[in-house]
Amino acid sequence: MKKHLIITALMMLFCSVLMAQKQTLRVDYLFTGDSQNSSVSLAHMAKWDGWAGRKGHLKEVPLKGNGQACMCDAASGDTLYRISFSTLFQEWQATPKAKNVTKSFENTFLFPMPASSAKITVELYDLRGETTATFSHVVDPKDILIRDVNEFKDVEKRYVWRGSESDRAIDVAIVAEGYAADEIGTFYRDASIAVEAIFAHEPFASLKEFFNFLAVAPVSKDSGVSVPREKQWKQTPVGSHFDTFYSDRYLTTTNIFKLHDILEGLPYEHIIILANTDTYGGGGIYNSYTLTTAHHPQFRPVVVHEFGHSFAGLADEYAYAGEEDPYYFSDIEPWEQNITTQKDFASKWKNMLDIGFEGVGLFEGAGYQPKGVWRPAEDCRMRTNGADAFCPVCQRAIARMINFYIFD
């Protein structure tokens, strides 16, 4: 009873904070550069009524991420809202091709519309956590060139799970990719399977009342998704494809503006994209999206694994033999909560190790590197598809993230 009274009180506070957020501001950016250079530029802005983002912790971020965006009041400099993120652009910068080619990637962020002029600053970090690009611009909420979205796309949609009203929940949109008109029923079944898979894992299972999953079903001209290595190119809602950075199983989309066009006006803060294919693969980018195949036998563990990336900012806990280019460095503690270089192990799961928490230890080999990076458990959903669950450290990290979004 005491637990329910505490939750009720927190929810009442949550609703009172909501009253300050009346509209959503969507800001589109281009991140451009090569392996050595980065820049940020403004592309478009739009707005619509309602705000489905978090209502508390507006001035904080739960993780550093590979970049951050901060909205401050233009007159006082007070922080109004801050988010952290990772991007496909920064992953591309570590590829061999980036040494010789300059390329741009789309990125979209949602902010609560400020009451008066505000300055947004976007920062990008390199693998050592050092700032590589900074870009600032002022947003005037009365600017006539901020597109006013008052007619939303007529896209079919339905809730596959609704734990609470939108003002008291984390809103996740599940988007159909590569489902033709006669396959939309299949998409809704796939979306339900994805939600069931997520809720089969703790701590999502115990905290499912704090989530809403809205399935959004844009119709695809072609059935399936693109597989470049097989010379298959399909016309789909967000143009996703395998072979990202020439990795067979890496399934992503660079059409971020199109993705958010589909979702304009809907209540969403996190995104899962389901690809209508039985080819194995997927991808998850922190505070950007999860994208995964829906018809491979490993669909259930993969969608959960990728959502661990995009929602909770968890790192991969597996390693590649013979990996030569480090992604993590011995003199820097990773920002992800489920791996460590032991540079600052006290900030990770040392306290769980000290009290002898069952199933927690230090196992070398994580973050793609066989040496110099440690994971918390022998196996985990962030390591293999065969693992039964998230390890205790990952469960704690996910619970902290849910707590960050829900409670002030």
Side-chain angles (χ1 to χ4, degrees):
M1 178 64 71
K2 183 177 179 181
K3 176 183 177 182
H4 291 299
L5 289 173
I6 292 173
I7 291 176
T8 301
L10 286 167
M11 288 298 99
M12 291 175 65
L13 174 61
F14 198 52
C15 291
S16 68
V17 175
L18 171 70
M19 299 304 292
Q21 286 96 45
K22 302 288 187 181
Q23 284 188 314
T24 295
L25 172 67
R26 166 186 164 179
V27 188
D28 297 340
Y29 298 97
L30 289 173
F31 294 173
T32 303
D34 54 24
S35 61
Q36 299 297 318
N37 302 285
S38 304
S39 67
V40 180
S41 58
L42 176 65
H44 324 96
M45 292 190 289
K47 63 180 178 181
W48 59 83
D49 290 339
W51 169 249
R54 68 182 189 267
K55 317 307 186 297
H57 298 290
L58 300 182
K59 302 180 181 183
E60 308 165 32
V61 292
L63 302 169
K64 180 178 179 178
N66 289 327
Q68 294 188 22
C70 180
M71 173 186 282
C72 298
D73 182 78
S76 67
D78 291 342
T79 298
L80 303 175
Y81 189 75
R82 182 184 291 274
I83 56 176
S84 57
F85 57 84
S86 296
T87 72
L88 200 60
F89 166 67
Q90 291 159 305
E91 293 183 33
W92 175 78
Q93 286 184 295
T95 67
K97 201 163 189 176
K99 296 177 181 179
N100 303 306
V101 177
T102 297
K103 193 171 180 178
S104 292
F105 286 74
E106 299 174 355
N107 292 270
T108 293
F109 304 114
L110 304 181
F111 300 88
M113 177 63 79
S116 57
S117 291
K119 182 173 77 170
I120 297 178
T121 299
V122 180
E123 294 182 334
L124 301 182
Y125 312 134
D126 63 14
L127 294 179
R128 299 187 64 84
E130 298 174 352
T131 301
T132 60
T134 302
F135 171 75
S136 297
H137 64 104
V138 174
V139 175
D140 179 355
K142 297 179 181 179
D143 187 341
I144 62 172
L145 296 183
I146 299 177
R147 181 167 55 90
D148 197 344
V149 182
N150 47 33
E151 291 188 9
F152 302 114
K153 287 182 172 57
D154 185 20
V155 58
E156 187 177 335
K157 55 191 176 294
R158 70 176 66 161
Y159 279 100
V160 294
W161 171 262
R162 196 166 192 180
S164 302
E165 292 299 318
S166 186
D167 61 352
R168 295 184 295 176
I170 299 166
D171 287 286
V172 184
I174 304 179
V175 180
E177 170 68 341
Y179 291 81
D182 61 351
E183 297 174 310
I184 297 303
T186 299
F187 163 67
Y188 286 127
R189 289 192 292 273
D190 293 341
S192 295
I193 291 171
V195 174
E196 290 172 5
I198 291 170
F199 285 155
H201 291 72
E202 292 292 355
F204 293 113
S206 297
L207 299 172
K208 61 194 299 185
E209 65 184 289
F210 298 120
F211 283 89
N212 293 331
F213 286 89
L214 178 65
V216 183
V219 174
S220 180
K221 181 176 180 179
D222 293 330
S223 177
V225 296
S226 298
V227 187
R229 65 182 177 274
E230 297 179 1
K231 302 186 185 305
Q232 294 181 16
W233 289 98
K234 304 291 184 74
Q235 295 187 54
T236 58
V238 298
S240 67
H241 64 81
F242 289 90
D243 303 303
T244 301
F245 310 143
Y246 303 98
S247 174
D248 288 0
R249 68 184 188 182
Y250 200 8
L251 173 63
T252 68
T253 177
T254 57
N255 297 304
I256 305 304
F257 299 166
K258 284 185 178 180
L259 173 60
H260 286 269
D261 285 347
I262 293 167
L263 297 174
E264 276 188 344
L266 299 177
Y268 74 101
E269 187 169 17
H270 298 276
I271 302 171
I272 296 173
I273 307 168
L274 299 185
N276 181 25
T277 177
D278 59 6
T279 301
Y280 179 77
I285 304 169
Y286 172 51
N287 268 348
S288 185
Y289 61 77
T290 277
L291 206 170
T292 187
T293 178
H295 297 144
H296 188 273
Q298 296 296 314
F299 169 39
R300 289 174 180 267
V302 172
V303 72
V304 177
H305 172 97
E306 302 300 350
F307 195 58
H309 287 312
S310 70
F311 174 74
L314 297 175
D316 284 316
E317 294 182 11
Y318 52 81
Y320 296 123
E323 179 66 32
E324 296 180 357
D325 296 325
Y327 200 81
Y328 301 97
F329 302 90
S330 61
D331 60 335
I332 297 171
E333 185 62 35
W335 57 265
E336 298 95 333
Q337 290 299 292
N338 61 320
I339 61 173
T340 181
T341 58
Q342 299 196 58
K343 174 64 177 178
D344 183 17
F345 185 44
S347 68
K348 296 301 174 67
W349 60 91
K350 184 178 185 300
N351 59 338
M352 298 174 73
L353 203 59
D354 289 343
I355 63 174
F357 202 100
E358 186 177 356
V360 175
L362 271 172
F363 300 84
E364 194 169 21
Y368 322 118
Q369 298 169 210
K371 298 291 182 180
V373 183
W374 288 261
R375 63 187 189 276
E378 182 65 42
D379 203 4
C380 172
R381 174 58 66 236
M382 298 310 296
R383 179 169 171 80
T384 69
N385 289 334
D388 293 331
F390 288 106
C391 71
V393 171
C394 286
Q395 290 189 36
R396 182 179 70 169
I398 295 169
R400 285 173 171 175
M401 188 66 71
I402 296 171
N403 196 56
F404 176 82
Y405 279 104
I406 293 298
F407 301 121
D408 193 4

